[in-house]
Amino acid sequence: MTTRIGVVTFPGSLDDRDAQRAIRIAGAEPVALWHKDKDLKQVDAVVLPGGFSYGDYLRAGAISRFSPVMETLIDQAKAGLPVLGICNGFQILAETHLLPGAMLRNNHLHFICREQKLRVENAGTAWTSDYEAGQEILIPLKNADGRYTADEYTLDKLEAEGRVAFRYLTDGPEADGYGNPNGSLRNIAGITNEAGNVVGLMPHPEHAVESLTGGGTDGLPFFTSIIKKLVSA
């Protein structure tokens, strides 16, 4: 049976087709989901893609949180459905409280677009099992509201429970000048929920899935990880 992974399109989504392509390259079947449709079409997992849903009006991800598809998705995610939020998708997951914390405007107040070095902190989630803890990867990043923030209690809890999934590589010769791109607290680039089925991150793994584009394939394990997880379930 082919693994079916849904990709939600909101008004203003611009990386939904890229996410679908990444899923196809990894060996699964991408399923287009429209934000006004509550039906998830019996998919095995869902990706909330990057972009500027609703133009980022009010607050990034704040309006999408109330889209009809999210009513179903929130319940399904709490029941164990694997969900990956990329950039704007991460912002939406924070707005729905499926993941803790919030995204603020980058500390330098500029949109940033570059390749970004990350360190994998948690290789035990549904979306990261094809990585190794401590592995360093290079993933494209593009955002204006990517500064992860949370209160000290939440940050300490994430650290203690191993729920920081990715961190910006900012020190040592490996950082090579990449540093923290947006001022995220504790250099957090991505986190997971307690169950490990919901993961959000600001960088864009769907843009690093084939060597043809010159960006490498460091993002492909996100999609192979979830396929292996679902096949073995």
Side-chain angles (χ1 to χ4, degrees):
M1 181 182 296
T2 302
T3 301
R4 290 161 44 86
I5 303 178
V7 179
V8 180
T9 298
F10 300 93
S13 294
L14 56 82
D15 292 307
D16 46 345
R17 297 295 181 89
D18 300 75
Q20 290 176 27
R21 179 175 176 78
I23 290 165
R24 191 176 296 111
I25 289 172
E29 177 188 349
V31 178
L33 301 175
W34 183 235
H35 74 112
K36 284 189 175 181
D37 192 350
K38 292 185 179 182
D39 183 9
L40 297 183
K41 301 181 180 179
Q42 297 183 319
V43 296
D44 303 300
V46 171
V47 173
L48 299 177
F52 302 89
S53 60
Y54 292 94
D56 278 351
Y57 291 117
L58 183 60
R59 193 171 57 247
I63 301 177
S64 294
R65 179 260 178 273
F66 295 100
S67 290
V69 71
M70 294 305 299
E71 296 180 28
T72 306
L73 184 63
I74 291 169
D75 290 338
Q76 294 278 334
K78 290 179 178 178
L81 179 74
V83 179
L84 174 66
I86 302 171
C87 196
N88 190 233
F90 186 10
Q91 295 162 343
I92 294 170
L93 289 176
E95 290 290 338
T96 61
H97 304 297
L98 286 173
L99 291 176
M103 299 297 164
L104 301 180
R105 184 61 55 100
N106 295 346
N107 60 343
H108 45 72
L109 303 181
H110 295 287
F111 179 85
I112 188 168
C113 182
R114 72 184 192 193
E115 291 187 320
Q116 176 66 47
K117 286 191 175 182
L118 307 176
R119 182 172 59 244
V120 180
E121 303 284 14
N122 185 336
T125 79
W127 297 92
T128 61
S129 60
D130 265 2
Y131 292 110
E132 294 182 3
Q135 182 177 348
E136 296 169 7
I137 59 178
L138 190 64
I139 302 289
L141 174 102
K142 49 180 186 176
N143 65 70
D145 299 273
R147 178 161 50 115
Y148 182 76
T149 188
D151 60 77
E152 286 297 310
Y153 173 81
T154 298
L155 292 170
D156 288 343
K157 190 174 187 335
L158 289 172
E159 301 276 13
E161 296 176 354
R163 290 170 54 195
V164 176
F166 298 91
R167 218 181 292 268
Y168 298 117
L169 195 60
T170 61
D171 53 10
E174 299 85 0
D176 194 26
Y178 284 88
N180 186 324
N182 45 38
S184 289
L185 295 181
R186 304 195 189 183
N187 300 322
I188 291 174
I191 60 175
T192 179
N193 66 343
E194 293 181 10
N197 63 303
V198 179
V199 171
L201 79 163
M202 289 309 298
H204 287 260
E206 79 281 12
H207 294 329
V209 295
E210 52 186 338
S211 56
L212 178 65
T213 59
T217 59
D218 283 357
L220 190 59
F222 276 88
F223 305 99
T224 57
S225 292
I226 190 59
I227 292 171
K228 291 178 181 178
K229 171 71 173 179
L230 292 168
V231 169
S232 64

